[in-house]
Amino acid sequence: MSASRVSSPWWDRGVLLGMAVVLAVLPFTTSGYVLYVVNLLMVFSVLALGMHLVIGETGQFALSHAAFFGIGIYTAGLINNQWQPPFFVSILAGAVLSAALGWVIGLLALRMRDIYLALATFAFGEAMQWVFLNWETVTNGSNGLQMKPASLGGYQLMNDLQAYPFVVAIAALMLWLTVALSRSRLGSSFRAVRESDVAAIAMGVNTRAVKVTAFVLSAAFAGVAGGMYTLFTSFIHPESLGFQTTILVLTMVVVGGLGSVRGAVAGAIVFGLASELLRQAPSYQEIIYGGILMLFMMFLPKGMASLFVARRKSQRASSVASANVTEKHA
């Protein structure tokens, strides 16, 4: 067997096909709660992909993801409550507003690096949660916001089953966009900035524009995730949009594997399920996620994706060695 066959993309395509089959069959074989969890995992996947763009691809350590997620939820929910347009309009509005604020944060972030950037974006996230809690005339404050069912052409999404195909379709679209971005010239610029600003500038990369673009795209993804959340949830409380959510998504991306699309999705699935299991113990979640995050950064800094890469390299080396032995005996 040749090395090229081991490194073939057919394996990845097979995994995607298998996932597609499972997702297609799921509505006919499972209960409403399982579909709710899968919908939630799709939302987490889009959130993780958004953070992957700004942290994993570009190396900008931003901690404001929950804020943009909340902006997406409140924007989509409020627009739907007021006018009930087709749900994709509400989701798009949330994504655009999140992206606009992401652009502002991105411009401010140009003056900051590392811990200062993390602290500044953390402060923005905390400020937005304060807005969600105290702007009672708009968000209903600490009472939370009750949201009407989303609709499309007069068809209302009344439960998890009805929302499921749309949530999965949007998640698939965002995954495709992430992969396309990663393989594009912009994706190469992201990675150049991540490795070295100086080297990126020497290569002709406009580092300022690239960093701002990463913030805009990351915020837009979080806004889309927020809009997706409104398709199967009728209530949102500001307490769920704090730093704990950002830490959860950060854990997904880091443990999954920084810089890996596959790792971001895998991390979203694993820790999305974990968050659901730990729902009854919210006070311990930050400690658990923080501990796992610390352990991975110490002992497996490249995350779960590195295990897959190591396995592929081992298989490739074995196949090459086997081919060489065969040639010698031929």
Side-chain angles (χ1 to χ4, degrees):
M1 182 173 61
S2 69
S4 61
R5 289 185 63 185
V6 175
S7 58
S8 167
W10 286 108
W11 193 91
D12 287 344
R13 293 174 184 173
V15 171
L16 287 174
L17 179 60
M19 290 178 63
V21 170
V22 170
L23 290 172
V25 171
L26 212 55
F28 305 101
T29 59
T30 56
S31 65
Y33 174 71
V34 173
L35 292 179
Y36 164 77
V37 172
V38 175
N39 285 339
L40 194 61
L41 294 180
M42 296 297 106
V43 169
F44 278 135
S45 295
V46 175
L47 275 173
L49 290 171
M51 185 171 278
H52 157 79
L53 289 174
V54 73
I55 294 182
E57 288 282 323
T58 320
Q60 303 300 297
F61 202 70
L63 297 177
S64 51
H65 222 53
F68 296 119
F69 180 50
I71 291 166
I73 293 175
Y74 277 103
T75 302
L78 289 167
I79 288 176
N80 187 59
N81 283 356
Q82 188 69 30
W83 296 290
Q84 286 204 297
F87 67 75
F88 62 83
V89 174
S90 302
I91 293 176
L92 183 61
V96 169
L97 182 56
S98 294
L101 287 172
W103 177 73
V104 174
I105 297 300
L107 287 176
L108 296 175
L110 291 174
R111 300 177 178 272
M112 306 173 199
R113 291 180 62 85
D114 303 327
I115 188 64
Y116 301 104
L117 175 59
L119 288 173
T121 51
F122 165 75
F124 171 74
E126 292 297 293
M128 285 308 305
Q129 188 183 30
W130 184 89
V131 171
F132 298 149
L133 275 167
N134 292 280
W135 198 6
E136 295 186 0
T137 55
V138 175
T139 66
N140 205 32
S142 59
N143 294 318
L145 180 67
Q146 195 74 34
M147 297 178 288
K148 295 179 180 178
S151 63
L152 180 64
Y155 174 72
Q156 289 192 324
L157 310 183
M158 301 298 295
N159 54 48
D160 297 300
L161 176 60
Q162 292 173 344
Y164 176 83
F166 300 107
V167 172
V168 171
I170 296 170
L173 173 62
M174 302 309 286
L175 175 59
W176 177 82
L177 283 173
T178 305
V179 173
L181 280 168
S182 180
R183 294 176 177 175
S184 70
R185 184 175 180 179
L186 179 59
S188 298
S189 298
F190 282 162
R191 291 184 289 276
V193 168
R194 179 187 67 195
E195 298 303 323
S196 169
D197 275 6
V198 175
I201 292 171
M203 294 166 58
V205 175
N206 185 338
T207 57
R208 294 171 62 89
V210 166
K211 289 178 181 179
V212 173
T213 301
F215 271 95
V216 169
L217 289 173
S218 177
F221 270 57
V224 169
M228 291 167 63
Y229 190 71
T230 66
L231 298 184
F232 60 94
T233 306
S234 59
F235 180 79
I236 184 64
H237 194 280
E239 289 293 342
S240 63
L241 299 171
F243 189 56
Q244 178 179 306
T245 299
T246 294
I247 286 295
L248 173 58
V249 181
L250 179 64
T251 304
M252 293 172 181
V253 174
V254 173
V255 173
L258 278 175
S260 168
V261 174
R262 186 189 295 112
V265 174
I269 293 172
V270 171
F271 285 95
L273 290 171
S275 70
E276 191 63 18
L277 292 173
L278 293 171
R279 191 200 296 184
Q280 302 303 320
S283 58
Y284 296 101
Q285 288 187 25
E286 287 186 38
I287 298 173
I288 293 171
Y289 300 147
I292 294 172
L293 191 60
M294 186 182 302
L295 288 172
F296 265 81
M297 292 181 75
M298 290 172 61
F299 300 108
L300 197 65
K302 294 184 179 180
M304 294 187 295
S306 64
L307 299 176
F308 176 83
V309 172
R311 181 173 176 271
R312 291 282 290 271
K313 287 182 177 179
S314 176
Q315 287 180 330
R316 190 179 299 119
S318 298
S319 66
V320 170
S322 177
N324 290 337
V325 170
T326 302
E327 288 175 4
K328 287 180 180 179
H329 288 281

